Amino acid sequence: MHNYKELKIWKESIQLVKDLYPVLNSFPEDEKYNLISQIKRCSVSVPSNIAEGTSRKSNVDFKRFLQIGLWSLFEMETQLYLSCELGFMASQDFKLFETRINELQKMIYGFSKSLDS
């Protein structure tokens, strides 16, 4: 069993959420229940699934939760891309988040593979 609070992937995903929320505050008010809500749910899903996965008894179950976290990252990346395309987010902000998301995707994928051994 892993202590999720000690996992770098969990810490990085928590920091991503904390950095993303203030940016979402600048989005148009009419996106509150659309993109803003969807992006927030995706971002919170990542550390939540990592944490929940650590409570599982087998690495197979843990890896399933890591996969769900990865899916949320891909979903979030797409939503942020759309936000940039719609003019809700500056392209330089999107590029920074995209880089961080891609790094976190690689980290989670690598960690998941390490559970095979």
Side-chain angles (χ1 to χ4, degrees):
M1 218 189 238
H2 299 271
N3 180 346
Y4 67 90
K5 292 178 186 173
E6 294 177 3
L7 294 175
K8 186 173 182 180
I9 55 173
W10 183 81
K11 291 176 186 177
E12 292 290 329
S13 61
I14 289 289
Q15 191 59 52
L16 183 63
V17 173
K18 290 168 58 177
D19 294 342
L20 190 56
Y21 266 56
V23 172
L24 297 175
N25 288 335
S26 68
F27 280 37
E29 180 66 26
D30 63 348
E31 286 300 322
K32 183 175 185 176
Y33 299 107
N34 297 312
L35 274 173
I36 295 170
S37 175
Q38 196 69 11
I39 294 167
K40 284 181 175 182
R41 279 196 307 274
C42 286
S43 68
V44 170
S45 172
V46 179
S48 299
N49 276 290
I50 293 168
E52 186 172 353
T54 62
S55 72
R56 302 304 166 144
K57 293 183 181 186
S58 74
N59 283 346
V60 172
D61 287 339
F62 187 10
K63 286 176 66 170
R64 187 168 53 88
F65 281 90
L66 292 174
Q67 185 66 50
I68 295 168
L70 272 174
W71 295 337
S72 293
L73 283 170
F74 280 103
E75 186 177 354
M76 182 187 355
E77 183 179 6
T78 299
Q79 293 160 357
L80 292 175
Y81 175 82
L82 285 169
S83 299
C84 182
E85 290 292 306
L86 293 168
F88 303 153
M89 172 184 271
S91 64
Q92 65 267 23
D93 289 338
F94 169 71
K95 287 182 192 314
L96 289 172
F97 281 111
E98 180 183 41
T99 299
R100 290 176 64 191
I101 289 168
N102 292 160
E103 283 301 311
L104 189 53
Q105 288 165 337
K106 290 175 191 172
M107 290 169 59
I108 292 173
Y109 180 76
F111 181 74
S112 179
K113 286 303 224 183
S114 76
L115 295 175
D116 289 338
S117 30

